[in-house]
Amino acid sequence: MPRPVAVDPRFGAELRRLRELSSLTLRQLAEATSYSHTYLWELETGKKRPGGVDVAQRLDAALHSGGILAALVTDTALDPDTASRIDSVAARPRSIDAPAVDALRTILGQQRRLDDAFGSAPLIASTMSHLDIVRAGLANVRGELRTDVLDLAAQWAQFAAWLHMASGLLGTAGELLDQACGWAAETDDYEMLTTVLSYKGHQAWLAGDVGALIGLSTASLRDHRAYVGQRAYDHYQLARGLALTGDDRATDEALRVGSDLAAEAVEYHGPTPDWHYYRTPAFFALERGLALQVGGRCGEAVEHLTSGLDDLEPGARRAEWVGDYLVHLGLAHEAAGERDEAGAAVIEAASIAEATRSLRLARRAAELERRLGL
């Protein structure tokens, strides 16, 4: 099995720019690197991705580019022993064991962080490949280990569903969420079941289904055992749906409870499911601002969206998911008659869409740009 890598969407264009800057033809660069000129053409055009950091490093050396290309490739493989375990499970699913499950958990954690850095599109193929490995292992495991593999499978399916939603592939996302739900139900994992219901609510939000958005957000809040940060988010998500119906009183109540729970989440130091790593004060500020913008309270929305963006961890502001909040910040500024500020927000969103190859975000940014006459 190839070592999984994440490649910045700009890699091909940057390779071509550096090659042309060096006045080299594809054949000349091929001779200098021992790669075929066809392979280099496929890299430049995006038809293929480099198989590892070593490819980018060899190209950097030939182009004297000081590591520019290597910086665009992240090797997510672990130590050789871990890689060997994953290869073994991929070839022989019956060989799955506790160390292999731990290795797959570690890789999943890496993939989540890479989503923040590179966006959803570059990670879908790798994530689905790993999910296939887990599925095959699950079909061949019995006893106590099955519970661990079920938990792992639900998490991989949940993450894959997120990537598909972020890429606008809502149908496949729904199928993956259904699968995660079934696996979580088998182990009575209320944290994952609550999260899946919440994700289904988010899917409804993206599809414009207000009734399902409200219903699924409400359903996700029924189990009070769930992590407090998840419940805070679901109240904000519910507030969005209620705002769309024009029910101001219910919207305000959902926002109030959401803010109380968000404050509680900041002080919480108990066990937290791994997939909630991004539930930070900045994230909650963004969610509150989003709900306020949907409800037409533009001044408050600008305040919370701006503070949330400013308080994000270093580097997080270029994440694909942040682009959506920038679009809503632009909408809030537009509604307030602040065209310059709206333009700055949507241009930033468009640049994130280009960097992460997010067609869905690009479409949203382009629509607002047209309205602003940019």
Side-chain angles (χ1 to χ4, degrees), residues 207-347:
D209 188 340
V210 178
L213 168 61
I214 294 173
L216 290 162
S217 299
T218 301
S220 69
L221 286 165
R222 290 194 182 116
D223 196 329
H224 291 273
R225 296 174 298 170
Y227 168 56
V228 63
Q230 177 67 57
R231 290 164 53 220
Y233 168 80
D234 286 328
H235 275 283
Y236 285 136
Q237 182 167 267
L238 176 60
R240 268 184 272 146
L242 294 169
L244 289 170
T245 69
D247 190 338
D248 293 339
R249 179 176 297 180
T251 300
D252 285 344
E253 178 61 13
L255 286 171
R256 183 191 67 78
V257 177
S259 295
D260 288 345
L261 291 172
E264 186 178 335
V266 172
E267 300 299 323
Y268 175 78
H269 299 293
T272 304
D274 293 341
W275 57 89
H276 289 309
Y277 67 92
Y278 58 92
R279 310 286 195 188
T280 64
F283 172 77
F284 291 129
L286 290 170
E287 276 299 311
R288 182 174 177 84
L290 174 56
L292 290 166
Q293 186 274 319
V294 170
R297 295 156 66 173
C298 301
E300 294 176 83
V302 167
E303 176 186 349
H304 287 281
L305 287 168
T306 300
S307 67
L309 289 166
D310 289 345
D311 291 341
L312 287 170
E313 294 179 1
R317 185 153 175 157
R318 298 297 297 169
E320 179 183 12
W321 59 270
V322 173
D324 284 299
Y325 295 107
L326 283 162
V327 169
H328 284 277
L329 176 59
L331 290 168
H333 278 305
E334 180 196 26
E338 301 161 348
R339 287 178 53 83
D340 289 346
E341 291 83 352
V346 75
I347 288 171

Side-chain angles (χ1 to χ4, degrees), residues 13-274:
E14 191 64 15
L15 171 58
R16 181 174 181 175
R17 184 186 72 82
L18 292 168
R19 176 178 63 79
E20 292 178 344
L21 191 64
S22 299
S23 300
L24 293 175
T25 65
L26 281 170
R27 290 187 181 278
Q28 288 171 330
L29 182 57
E31 291 176 1
T33 59
S34 298
Y35 295 128
S36 73
H37 71 280
T38 301
Y39 174 63
L40 295 177
W41 175 80
E42 289 173 329
L43 289 179
E44 287 192 355
T45 57
K47 296 184 181 297
K48 282 190 177 179
R49 301 188 308 160
V53 178
D54 57 325
V55 175
Q57 290 172 335
R58 188 183 299 186
L59 290 167
D60 275 325
L63 294 167
H64 306 288
S65 50
I68 291 176
L69 295 172
L72 299 178
V73 180
T74 301
D75 191 336
T76 69
L78 306 177
D79 58 88
D81 180 62
T82 299
S84 176
R85 288 184 184 279
I86 302 304
D87 289 347
S88 177
V89 174
R92 297 179 299 281
R94 289 181 182 275
S95 68
I96 193 167
D97 56 11
V101 170
D102 289 340
L104 284 161
R105 286 189 192 281
T106 302
I107 293 174
L108 176 56
Q110 288 184 333
Q111 295 289 87
R112 288 179 179 133
R113 295 293 183 174
L114 288 170
D115 173 39
D116 292 338
F118 293 97
S120 58
L123 297 180
I124 286 178
S126 173
T127 298
M128 293 303 291
S129 295
H130 283 97
L131 178 56
D132 286 342
I133 292 173
V134 178
R135 281 194 189 111
L138 182 59
N140 290 277
V141 70
R142 300 291 184 271
E144 294 183 5
L145 183 60
R146 179 174 174 80
T147 299
D148 290 338
V149 180
L150 279 167
D151 174 70
L152 179 66
Q155 289 194 46
W156 274 101
Q158 171 227 18
F159 179 63
W162 163 256
L163 296 179
H164 282 81
M165 280 193 287
S167 297
L169 304 171
L170 300 187
T172 303
E175 294 170 3
L176 289 163
L177 288 173
D178 288 342
Q179 195 163 52
C181 184
W183 286 329
E186 190 171 339
T187 60
D188 193 25
D189 183 350
Y190 62 86
E191 294 283 12
M192 178 56 73
L193 287 168
T194 298
T195 300
V196 168
L197 286 170
S198 178
Y199 272 40
K200 282 181 169 289
H202 181 66
Q203 180 187 14
W205 157 259
L206 294 175
D209 188 340
V210 178
L213 168 61
I214 294 173
L216 290 162
S217 299
T218 301
S220 69
L221 286 165
R222 290 194 182 116
D223 196 329
H224 291 273
R225 296 174 298 170
Y227 168 56
V228 63
Q230 177 67 57
R231 290 164 53 220
Y233 168 80
D234 286 328
H235 275 283
Y236 285 136
Q237 182 167 267
L238 176 60
R240 268 184 272 146
L242 294 169
L244 289 170
T245 69
D247 190 338
D248 293 339
R249 179 176 297 180
T251 300
D252 285 344
E253 178 61 13
L255 286 171
R256 183 191 67 78
V257 177
S259 295
D260 288 345
L261 291 172
E264 186 178 335
V266 172
E267 300 299 323
Y268 175 78
H269 299 293
T272 304
D274 293 341

